[in-house]
Amino acid sequence: MKEFFRRTRKSFSSSQAPEPAQIPDDLWVKCSNCRELIYKKELNDNLKVCPKCSHHMRMSAREWLGLLDVGSFSEMDAHLLPTDPLGFVTPEESYADKLKKSQQRTGMADAVIAGVGSINGAWLALGVGDFAFMGSSMGSVYGEKMARAAERAADLGVPLLTINTSGGARQQEGVIALMQMAKVTMALTRLAEAGQPHIALLVDPCYGGVTASYPSVADVIIAEPGANIGFAGKRLIEQIMRQKLPAGFQTAEFMLEHGMIDLVIPRSDLRETLARLLRLFAGRTRPASSPSPLLAAYVNGRV
């Protein structure tokens, strides 16, 4: 009986010792607004909106395509690649190297994805910026894709949706980047002549030449809650004016209060809001089940 109750020390060889559990590093995300830790899956299920404080975090261009009907998106102009017209070099790195790093990190050729798709069966053309690619700065390819998206919408007789986030014009391309502001705005005149609307969605942050050009002349301007929107940054304006700006200056809510935008819509309501707007402009849109021959050619990659 004594042997039955005697404790015996167990030993494990190194091969038998249990390995510590490997916990992935990216399971949790810290909210940049309230600093709370959020389970990443919960955050993604909530469309990257913090469940604690409702802060709208940035989404990639590919993630924004989730607004569209499943399987409806056809990308256009993916072959367009940026060049280095000025041979721009800084002490840290060249523009060519910076482009290559951004392309490898994001898997995108440039800062915009453009194409056609549908929302609740209503077809539209769209251009989506991605802040992760050099701050979604407007260079030659950015402007060309947005201009082509506007012209494509006019040709197809469908509305245009642009999702805009940017830090401004791409300084490494000099005046060529600045020309894109006028080029895209002029392309939108063709869309207006075709009787089709331009719906601009402004997401955080949206500054510089992007804000100052084509989104500001859209037929409907929507922003997400808390999005920072403006031309120059608040700190720079305060330094130039030598006075303190009001609280909340350049936020979406401030812009709405002062008549600069039309709607502030939470991300959870955005798809239904866009669908409702497209229904209002439905005189020239077609149901997804019966696209026009030209639209079908675009969708099937024949144009």
Side-chain angles (χ1 to χ4, degrees):
M1 290 293 292
K2 290 181 180 181
E3 294 297 326
F4 181 79
F5 290 104
R6 189 186 301 277
R7 289 184 178 179
T8 57
R9 188 185 298 270
K10 293 182 179 180
S11 61
F12 295 91
S13 65
S14 58
S15 61
Q16 296 173 321
E19 295 183 0
Q22 297 296 319
I23 301 176
D25 295 331
D26 60 349
L27 278 180
W28 300 87
V29 177
K30 181 180 284 188
C31 175
S32 59
N33 184 57
C34 67
R35 315 303 295 173
E36 288 285 337
L37 283 176
I38 310 159
Y39 185 41
K40 190 173 183 179
K41 185 180 184 305
E42 179 186 3
L43 182 65
N44 290 337
D45 291 344
N46 203 38
L47 303 175
K48 287 195 170 181
V49 177
C50 176
K52 311 290 184 182
C53 67
S54 298
H55 174 63
H56 286 54
M57 301 183 188
R58 293 174 188 168
M59 296 211 302
S60 69
R62 296 286 178 192
E63 289 173 324
W64 277 113
L65 296 179
L67 286 171
L68 303 177
D69 297 335
V70 176
S72 69
F73 179 69
S74 295
E75 186 173 359
M76 307 292 173
D77 306 317
H79 64 284
L80 296 179
L81 297 173
T83 60
D84 185 9
L86 304 180
F88 193 92
V89 179
T90 67
E92 292 78 26
E93 63 180 343
S94 67
Y95 177 43
D97 290 339
K98 196 174 185 69
L99 280 174
K100 188 179 297 183
K101 288 181 181 178
S102 294
Q103 289 166 346
Q104 291 172 346
R105 185 177 65 254
T106 63
M108 298 172 60
D110 204 85
V112 167
I113 294 177
V116 295
S118 65
I119 296 178
N120 282 9
W123 284 98
L124 69 160
L126 72 158
V128 188
D130 194 322
F131 196 81
F133 194 105
M134 295 185 65
S136 194
S137 49
M138 179 188 269
S140 56
V141 172
Y142 183 120
E144 184 66 16
K145 284 191 173 185
M146 286 295 188
R148 290 191 185 190
E151 291 172 346
R152 185 176 299 117
D155 290 340
L156 297 174
V158 297
L160 171 67
L161 169 66
T162 60
I163 301 178
N164 309 282
T165 174
S166 180
R170 191 171 299 177
Q171 62 176 359
Q172 293 90 341
E173 295 185 16
V175 69
I176 295 175
L178 296 176
M179 289 169 58
Q180 308 309 313
M181 299 167 61
K183 182 171 78 175
V184 179
T185 304
M186 286 301 296
L188 289 170
T189 61
R190 278 200 60 202
L191 186 66
E193 290 168 359
Q196 291 299 326
H198 169 207
I199 302 170
L201 172 62
L202 310 182
V203 300
D204 186 67
C206 195
Y207 281 101
V210 169
T211 303
S213 57
Y214 67 91
S216 297
V217 296
D219 297 283
V220 181
I221 306 174
I222 305 172
E224 288 196 307
N228 290 288
I229 303 163
F231 181 65
K234 180 179 179 180
R235 187 184 306 171
L236 177 61
I237 297 173
E238 287 181 335
Q239 289 174 351
I240 293 173
M241 297 181 64
R242 299 178 183 273
Q243 65 181 27
K244 198 74 175 173
L245 293 171
F249 177 72
Q250 290 188 329
T251 62
E253 291 75 12
F254 185 92
M255 294 289 185
L256 178 65
E257 183 180 345
H258 290 79
M260 299 298 292
I261 62 176
D262 299 304
L263 297 165
V264 175
I265 302 295
R267 196 171 291 168
S268 57
D269 299 332
L270 193 53
R271 177 180 161 86
E272 182 53 41
T273 300
L274 291 172
R276 190 179 303 118
L277 286 170
L278 292 173
R279 286 197 297 271
L280 291 174
F281 294 113
R284 290 182 178 269
T285 59
R286 297 170 181 266
S289 58
S290 58
S292 69
L294 181 57
L295 179 55
Y298 268 97
V299 172
N300 294 325
R302 298 197 301 271
V303 175

